[in-house]
Structure formats: structure tokens, C-alpha cells
Amino acid sequence: MDFSKNTPDFITALMQTWLLQYKQDQQNPLTTIGLFRWEFRPNKRKPEKPRRIPKIDKCIDLQDLSFKHKVYFLEIDTKTLHVYESSGIALGGLNIAHEYTLHEDEFAQTKVLFKMIR
């Protein structure tokens, strides 16, 4: 997929750079692309550390396939990007969010923010 031409208006240059680096040559094509935000909820076991839940703001469906591969972005600053990926079939798959930082035109994954198997 040519990410330089076929991206929605809300995708920034930083997000396009990440797409070109990580999703250019992949087996499962992207089915949805969009933006998300973090919602914080109380944590009963550790009240000082609230639960972080990703909430989808905007998205555009690119293809309709049985195996979904969705990517959502949250731009923190000019060099930090949170990427939430959801992949799998309807009743099973993986949801994961990573933090990436840009160093000299290369993204480096710094930490896992959220991970859930469904």
C-alpha cells in the first residue's frame, strides 16, 4: 500500500513516517487507520496507578477483510508517538499499544503501554 498518497487528512507527517517504516512490507494489509486517546479509570488493586484504556476518536476503513489489522495513533509531541494496534479475527486477536520515539528519521520502540489478548 502506498501510504504517501492514500492516507486520510488527519494523519500527520510523523504518523506517515511510522507507517512507511513499520507497515510497508507486511503480510496482513491494514484494514482501518485512525486516531485514539487514552481514558483513565480507577484501579481497585493500585489506586495510585489508574488503568489506561484506549478510546477510538476517528477512523477510516480501508478494506473489508475477515482478518482485521487496525492501527490508531496518538501524537504526544513532535518526536513521540503512541500506536495502538488491533489485529485478528472477530472473536480473537491481540490489542497492543507501544510508544515510539523518533531519532534521526528512525523510530525506536521505547515501551509497551497496553496489551490485551481477546
Side-chain angles (χ1 to χ4, degrees):
M1 178 177 197
D2 187 12
F3 295 115
S4 59
K5 297 176 186 170
N6 298 335
T7 55
D9 294 337
F10 55 82
I11 299 299
T12 64
L14 186 67
M15 296 171 193
Q16 283 186 357
T17 304
W18 185 89
L19 283 169
L20 289 172
Q21 181 178 342
Y22 282 95
K23 299 299 174 189
Q24 192 67 29
D25 300 319
Q26 64 176 6
Q27 279 185 324
N28 299 317
L30 290 180
T31 56
T32 304
I33 191 168
L35 302 176
F36 81 101
R37 61 183 163 79
W38 290 114
E39 184 176 285
F40 295 96
R41 293 191 181 158
N43 188 345
K44 291 180 182 178
R45 280 186 263 154
K46 290 187 178 182
E48 69 277 0
K49 186 178 176 185
R51 291 184 346 178
R52 185 188 302 218
I53 309 291
K55 294 293 178 184
I56 307 305
D57 279 339
K58 279 185 188 176
C59 66
I60 291 181
D61 291 330
L62 304 173
Q63 301 178 43
D64 187 24
L65 302 173
S66 60
F67 187 89
K68 307 289 185 195
H69 191 113
K70 304 172 184 181
V71 175
Y72 304 99
F73 297 101
L74 174 63
E75 191 169 329
I76 303 301
D77 57 29
T78 58
K79 298 204 179 270
T80 307
L81 190 65
H82 288 185
V83 180
Y84 172 62
E85 293 184 72
S86 176
S87 61
I89 57 175
L91 297 176
L94 176 69
N95 295 349
I96 192 162
H98 294 281
E99 180 178 84
Y100 294 91
T101 54
L102 185 66
H103 299 287
E104 299 164 359
D105 297 333
E106 283 287 318
F107 275 100
Q109 178 183 328
T110 55
K111 57 185 164 181
V112 175
L113 302 170
F114 176 84
K115 190 172 187 178
M116 182 179 74
I117 298 172
R118 47 182 167 90

